[in-house]
Amino acid sequence: MCSPKSMSWIMIPLILGFFIGSILVRVQVDVPTGVTTFNPTGSKGSALVVYHPGLSDFQEDVTRAFIEGLVEAGWRCDLTTASRRTPEKLDDYDLLVLGAPTYEWRPASPVKRYVERLGDLGGIPTALILTGGGSTARAASLFVELVQVANGTVIEMLEIWQGAPNEELHGIPDPLVIARRAGAELVLP
Ligand SMILES: Cc1cc2nc3c(=O)[nH]c(=O)nc-3n(C[C@H](O)[C@H](O)[C@H](O)COP(=O)(O)O)c2cc1C
């Protein structure tokens, strides 16, 4: 017979493992949403912005701040999340923006799957927004590689941290100011 004390030594790691495992699965599941258009009369060009919302609001807030910058610069933007419902026809767009949180040193899988479904990006200028706790270097190079292999032209790789000082990368601390500035200053090749 197991004593209650020895039972708890078995149960605690099991419960912890189940909890961690369910988070690891949950963050990688597609979150389908509709398409929201910002600045429909924007004359600079049309951007398709596709992101994966994380557990917190961080990725969405950063992505929306980037859109504010694009709109400020005159872009029309369609915003949606990465799923099987995401538009896959890029002919109507001049710019693709992909936003992904970092999970286990990789960009979130729903965004990766979306790019793989697109197949050939036809050279479209692509801006990447990668959020993370503070360790994003490996995910950033995988993100760039993912898009380049699919024949996209990476014009921006924006790493923004939730749990480490952003001054190190950007000279200013506020993630939303960084994202908005990057959107406003984005230059096409
Ligand atoms: C399961 C899991 C794994 C993560 N792995 C990393 C990582 O490898 N590097 C990193 O910088 N941040 C990592 N993070 C932090 C998230 O990328 C960061 O909080 C993100 O900007 C927002 O995602 P969230 O809203 O899902 O927390 C991880 C977070 C979770 C939940």
Side-chain angles (χ1 to χ4, degrees):
M1 269 289 277
C2 286
S3 68
K5 199 172 170 191
S6 62
M7 278 298 284
S8 69
W9 279 113
I10 298 168
M11 290 307 287
I12 289 170
L14 272 179
I15 291 166
L16 260 179
F18 177 77
F19 181 69
I20 293 168
S22 67
I23 288 180
L24 291 178
V25 171
R26 199 176 134 205
V27 294
Q28 305 287 17
V29 172
D30 291 4
V31 181
T33 58
V35 176
T36 307
T37 302
F38 297 82
N39 195 26
T41 56
S43 57
K44 183 141 186 184
S46 279
L48 176 63
V49 183
V50 179
Y51 75 103
H52 178 61
L55 295 175
S56 69
D57 293 334
F58 192 65
Q59 179 69 47
E60 178 168 350
D61 291 346
V62 165
T63 304
R64 284 178 181 269
F66 190 82
I67 287 179
E68 279 175 32
L70 288 178
V71 166
E72 198 180 300
W75 286 89
R76 175 192 181 281
C77 298
D78 284 344
L79 171 68
T80 190
T81 50
S83 78
R84 292 206 163 265
R85 281 172 53 186
T86 312
E88 292 181 11
K89 199 169 150 282
L90 299 180
D91 303 4
D92 298 338
Y93 296 103
D94 309 289
L95 170 68
L96 177 65
V97 180
L98 299 171
T102 303
Y103 296 128
E104 296 177 277
W105 305 280
R106 297 183 184 92
S109 299
V111 175
K112 179 172 185 276
R113 289 194 291 268
Y114 172 63
V115 173
E116 287 168 351
R117 275 196 301 278
L118 287 175
D120 186 352
L121 300 183
I124 191 168
T126 306
L128 306 178
I129 306 170
L130 182 72
T131 59
S135 173
T136 49
R138 179 172 183 269
S141 53
L142 290 173
F143 209 177
V144 169
E145 189 186 319
L146 173 74
V147 171
Q148 287 176 340
V149 164
N151 189 26
T153 306
V154 177
I155 59 167
E156 173 85 81
M157 173 70 255
L158 189 64
E159 288 167 67
I160 302 192
W161 293 334
Q162 191 174 28
N166 282 293
E167 285 96 324
E168 208 178 290
L169 294 176
H170 305 284
I172 50 173
D174 188 325
L176 303 188
V177 175
I178 295 164
R180 187 180 172 135
R181 184 181 70 179
E185 292 177 356
L186 192 74
V187 179
L188 287 193

